[in-house]
């Protein structure tokens, strides 16, 4: 049996919270349309009460998007929810995402509420949002650091109030994968009626564990993953969409699937990086420039003989044309001969020895040896 995992993209909300990445409405629409083509199930379009510009963005995205659910964020505040609902009035399928922090840390030191007051606000925001839309997602901010028994009490209350999706954010990126998975499992086992709702992961990357935590959440019963393109987001970022999607695809024997057209991952990543002016590190999993590049002799020899010796994914599956062999001082004869052939030169063993001797002298002086460099060596 295949378990469908919904992909909730929050590039335009949590991702856009990165300093310097703010987008205008036109830019947001371009990205939203690309996310629709990519196949995401839900687009979190913004936080409408935060500014008139963001309100307009959610309105225009709601008009422009046909298939995915369009979601608007709000706090557990009447005015936020009302404005979120207004911003979604053109959405074919609209969702209000509302909630409140549940950890003792946030409850005492940020909200200054008792547990009872917090529960009351949680129930209020869901019930009020339900007066506008059927689809209401509740977030328990800092759930990662919330005691599981209290968290279950809050989640039980919002399930009873009519929440359709239950977001369990590891807001501060604190959890370990097993701990986060157990949290999801605990809720599944201790909240009555939870089977009618979708459990959602929303993990931040402060310890570099956001993807591992999200996947652990899925393995323990979550059926929605909140993520961003290139993993952008507050501080160290959010779970990277491309990582979760490819993990589930490459381990398809586990029986999970998403609706994502993975061949559009590279294009989408580049578009978001360009528009947000947030370059992707070269060694980033799946979509970094070096994700399918091989530079050491042993690896190059292996890849040339059989690509799968060193690649667990086909680059075509993520929209990258081909693997690359980069010539450096660590490259061996096999890579030099391979590149020479691509440039139209079939060299003999003896010729290769001569070429390689020149190549390695140049390579030791440079970071990489380009095709032009190799051509001039080949021409003697
Ligand atoms: O990280 C977080 O807790 C959030 C919520 C507002 C969903 O982004
Ligand atoms: Zn977040």
């Amino acid at each position: 049996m295949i378990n469908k995992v919904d992909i909730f993209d929050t590039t335009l909300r949590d991702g856009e919270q990165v300093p310097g990445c703010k987008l205008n409405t036109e830019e947001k629409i371009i990205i939203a349309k690309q996310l629709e083509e990519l196949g995401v199930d839900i687009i979190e379009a913004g936080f409408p009460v935060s500014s008139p510009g963001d309100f307009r963005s959610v309105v225009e995205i709601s008009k422009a998007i046909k298939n995915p659910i369009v979601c608007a964020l709000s706090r557990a505040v009447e005015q936020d929810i009302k404005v979120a609902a207004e911003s979604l009035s053109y959405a074919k399928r609209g969702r209000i995402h509302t909630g409140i922090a549940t950890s003792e840390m946030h409850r005492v030191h940020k909200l200054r509420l008792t547990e009872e007051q917090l529960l009351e606000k949680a129930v209020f925001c869901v019930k009020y949002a339900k007066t506008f839309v059927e689809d209401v997602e509740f977030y328990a901010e800092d759930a990662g650091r919330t005691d599981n028994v209290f968290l279950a009490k809050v989640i039980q209350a919002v399930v009873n109030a009519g929440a359709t999706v239950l977001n369990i954010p590891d807001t501060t990126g604190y959890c370990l994968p097993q701990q986060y998975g157990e949290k999801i499992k605990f809720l599944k086992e201790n909240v009555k009626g939870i089977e009618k709702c979708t459990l959602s992961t929303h993990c931040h990357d402060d310890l570099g564990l956001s993807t591992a935590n999200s996947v652990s959440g899925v393995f323990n019963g979550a059926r929605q993953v909140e993520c961003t393109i290139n993993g952008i987001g507050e501080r160290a970022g959010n779970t990277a969409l491309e990582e979760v999607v490819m993990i589930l695809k490459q381990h398809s024997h586990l029986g999970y699937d998403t609706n994502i057209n993975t061949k559009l991952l590279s294009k989408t990543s580049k578009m978001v990086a360009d528009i947000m002016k947030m370059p992707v590190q070269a060694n980033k999993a799946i979509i970094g420039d070096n994700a399918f590049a091989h530079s050491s002799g042993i690896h190059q020899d292996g890849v040339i003989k059989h690509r799968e010796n060193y690649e667990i994914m086909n680059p075509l599956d993520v929209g990258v044309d081909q693997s690359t062999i980069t010539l450096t001082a660590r490259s061996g004869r096999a890579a030099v001969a391979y590149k020479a052939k691509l440039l139209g030169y079939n060299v003999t063993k003896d010729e290769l020895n001569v070429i390689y001797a020149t190549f390695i002298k140049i390579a030791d002086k440079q970071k990489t040896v380009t095709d032009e460099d190799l051509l001039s060596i080949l021409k003697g």
Side-chain angles (χ1 to χ4, degrees):
M1 192 186 80
I2 296 290
N3 288 295
K4 160 89 189 312
V5 177
D6 288 343
I7 296 296
F8 175 116
D9 182 278
T10 184
T11 305
L12 300 177
R13 198 279 296 170
D14 220 338
E16 201 235 15
Q17 288 174 207
V18 175
C21 284
K22 200 199 108 14
L23 301 171
N24 62 38
T25 300
E26 287 62 40
E27 291 168 327
K28 277 195 160 191
I29 291 172
I30 294 170
I31 295 178
K33 285 187 171 163
Q34 180 62 24
L35 293 172
E36 177 166 42
E37 216 185 319
L38 182 66
V40 309
D41 300 280
I42 303 107
I43 296 175
E44 187 161 51
F47 182 16
V49 85
S50 66
S51 75
D54 220 31
F55 178 86
R56 186 172 158 249
S57 295
V58 181
V59 171
E60 296 306 324
I61 289 171
S62 298
K63 288 181 189 166
I65 293 302
K66 288 187 210 76
N67 294 317
I69 292 171
V70 177
C71 180
L73 185 78
S74 70
R75 294 166 297 179
V77 171
E78 195 170 326
Q79 179 65 4
D80 280 34
I81 297 168
K82 211 164 131 202
V83 172
E86 255 175 68
S87 73
L88 292 171
S89 53
Y90 293 94
K92 309 333 161 258
R93 293 192 294 157
R95 176 185 294 178
I96 296 179
H97 190 190
T98 186
I100 191 163
T102 50
S103 65
E104 189 171 318
M105 170 80 76
H106 282 212
R107 183 176 63 73
V108 174
H109 300 290
K110 183 178 86 167
L111 301 171
R112 302 200 170 106
L113 296 174
T114 63
E115 289 190 353
E116 286 63 37
Q117 288 168 327
L118 191 148
L119 271 163
E120 223 175 87
K121 280 189 186 289
V123 169
F124 160 78
C125 69
V126 171
K127 283 197 169 156
Y128 188 54
K130 288 288 275 193
T131 64
F132 299 102
V133 287
E134 167 50 31
D135 192 3
V136 173
E137 173 167 341
F138 175 81
Y139 65 83
E141 193 187 357
D142 205 18
R145 291 190 297 174
T146 303
D147 166 67
N148 284 351
V149 174
F150 182 62
L151 183 62
K153 201 169 169 186
V154 177
I155 296 299
Q156 183 67 71
V158 299
V159 167
N160 296 346
T164 47
V165 183
L166 307 163
N167 179 12
I168 312 301
D170 185 20
T171 306
T172 51
Y174 171 75
C175 287
L176 297 170
Q178 190 183 350
Q179 194 182 12
Y180 188 75
E182 276 166 6
K183 197 172 276 291
I184 299 291
K185 190 161 177 256
F186 184 87
L187 294 173
K188 274 198 83 104
E189 287 171 356
N190 290 282
V191 175
K192 284 200 202 80
I194 202 164
E195 65 287 346
K196 291 179 295 188
C197 306
T198 303
L199 267 162
S200 181
T201 68
H202 178 114
C203 299
H204 281 264
D205 208 35
D206 299 65
L207 290 173
L209 289 171
S210 61
T211 298
N213 285 342
S214 302
V215 170
S216 175
V218 169
F219 295 164
N220 282 281
R223 289 293 174 269
Q224 175 178 287
V225 172
E226 307 198 2
C227 45
T228 60
I229 301 294
N230 301 340
I232 58 165
E234 288 264 1
R235 306 183 310 281
N238 287 61
T239 304
L241 179 149
E242 60 278 6
E243 293 175 11
V244 171
V245 167
M246 289 312 289
I247 288 169
L248 299 181
K249 183 174 166 71
Q250 294 312 110
H251 291 275
S252 57
H253 57 280
L254 295 173
Y256 299 97
D257 203 6
T258 69
N259 199 32
I260 298 296
N261 176 357
T262 62
K263 290 189 165 58
L264 294 177
L265 284 173
S266 175
K267 178 182 174 193
T268 312
S269 159
K270 285 188 170 53
M271 176 189 280
V272 168
D274 283 355
I275 297 180
M276 287 201 162
K277 301 196 174 37
M278 183 83 176
V280 174
Q281 76 207 50
N283 63 326
K284 168 78 184 61
I286 322 289
I287 39 78
D289 280 351
N290 291 349
F292 298 96
H294 307 274
S295 66
S296 82
I298 297 171
H299 289 211
Q300 290 177 332
D301 181 48
V303 168
I304 291 165
K305 285 179 175 144
H306 184 61
R307 188 186 60 74
E308 288 163 35
N309 276 330
Y310 285 97
E311 286 183 358
I312 56 121
M313 281 171 278
N314 188 333
L316 293 173
D317 281 351
V318 302
V320 172
D321 286 347
Q322 57 189 12
S323 321
T324 49
I325 297 286
T326 310
L327 294 182
T328 72
R330 303 292 155 260
S331 298
R333 283 173 175 69
V336 172
Y338 171 80
K339 285 288 245 186
K341 196 169 174 194
L342 289 183
L343 293 170
Y345 290 79
N346 266 317
V347 291
T348 64
K349 210 172 169 189
D350 288 345
E351 284 167 342
L352 181 60
N353 283 337
V354 177
I355 290 161
Y356 190 75
T358 315
F359 160 81
I360 208 71
K361 276 190 208 140
I362 295 173
D364 247 345
K365 291 194 203 118
Q366 302 181 182
K367 292 219 186 290
T368 58
V369 176
T370 64
D371 284 0
E372 288 70 39
D373 295 330
L374 185 59
L375 262 179
S376 72
I377 300 171
L378 288 162
K379 284 176 183 164

